[in-house]
Amino acid sequence: MFRRFYPREYYDSTYSIDFQKYYQKGYRGVIFDIDNTLVEHDAPADVRAIELIKNLKKIGFSVCFLSNNDEQRVADFNKELGAFYIYKAGKPLAKGYRQAMNLMGCDENNTMFVGDQIFTDIWGANNARVRSVLVQPIAKHEEIQIVLKRIPEKLILRCYLKKHKLRTKEKD
């Protein structure tokens, strides 16, 4: 019933993902949501995010930020990172994900997406047929529209975890 919303993997944090393993499996592009995936909502790129993106590029990944935020927010976040980015992406529509893959020179077979929201990030990645990776949100305090979306997300996540007998670890 909820399969279209299920992530391919679920991690406790973006920073606990073994990206080297994905590179060895043939993945070459990583698309990220920004807010509550890499940093708290509206926060600038911090040391952890900068280091992650730097390491991903060193491994050989192309990186793109895909956000429903306005250009100012996404451009400011990307200033020190030098990645591709798309603002006002219209997630969960697949169009932004496809545009990101085109920018990175990747396709749905070698691209993964990492985000914290089921109804925008994961559903959109699944619509675009890229590997969807859900992470727990960084901040506990969120805007009211996101708090309201988290209520049905919890039901879907509970069903996903029950089906896969997982907590917050990778599913093969």
Side-chain angles (χ1 to χ4, degrees):
M1 176 177 181
F2 297 128
R3 292 186 79 149
R4 76 181 78 171
F5 302 114
Y6 287 173
R8 188 79 175 270
E9 279 95 27
Y10 179 44
Y11 288 90
D12 62 349
S13 167
T14 299
Y15 300 100
S16 66
I17 300 170
D18 182 355
F19 288 100
Q20 182 70 49
K21 179 182 78 174
Y22 288 101
Y23 192 84
Q24 290 168 350
K25 289 182 176 183
Y27 288 89
R28 295 299 180 261
V30 184
I31 306 170
F32 286 102
D33 174 54
I34 297 171
D35 290 328
N36 257 348
T37 298
L38 291 167
V39 294
E40 288 192 21
H41 188 76
D42 281 334
D46 59 15
V47 172
R48 209 166 52 154
I50 293 167
E51 191 65 29
L52 174 65
I53 302 309
K54 188 168 106 177
N55 286 336
L56 289 173
K57 290 178 175 181
K58 188 176 179 181
I59 290 169
F61 280 107
S62 289
V63 176
C64 186
F65 303 118
L66 186 67
S67 177
N68 285 345
N69 277 305
D70 62 26
E71 183 175 16
Q72 181 81 45
R73 164 67 179 134
V74 183
D76 286 350
F77 180 83
N78 189 47
K79 195 176 288 184
E80 289 187 55
L81 302 171
F84 296 109
Y85 69 88
I86 298 167
Y87 61 94
K88 292 190 179 178
K91 295 181 287 184
L93 299 176
K95 180 182 176 186
Y97 296 81
R98 289 190 190 111
Q99 186 180 357
M101 286 185 276
N102 286 336
L103 286 172
M104 296 186 300
C106 296
D107 61 35
E108 56 274 341
N109 297 311
N110 64 3
T111 302
M112 58 190 295
F113 176 87
V114 181
D116 70 296
Q117 291 187 53
I118 290 173
F119 294 129
T120 52
D121 299 330
I122 301 307
W123 190 16
N126 291 343
N127 285 337
R129 297 194 166 111
V130 300
R131 184 176 210 100
S132 57
V133 179
L134 179 67
V135 294
Q136 291 181 13
I138 291 173
K140 301 299 179 213
H141 302 288
E142 299 176 298
E143 296 176 345
I144 188 65
Q145 72 271 18
I146 296 172
V147 170
L148 294 174
K149 284 194 284 186
R150 296 286 187 204
I151 296 167
E153 280 186 355
K154 285 180 185 178
L155 171 65
I156 291 169
L157 190 54
R158 199 171 317 135
C159 292
Y160 168 81
L161 294 173
K162 184 177 178 181
K163 179 178 188 229
H164 294 84
K165 296 180 177 81
L166 297 174
R167 287 207 21 90
T168 56
K169 63 180 183 179
E170 177 189 352
K171 176 192 105 166
D172 286 324

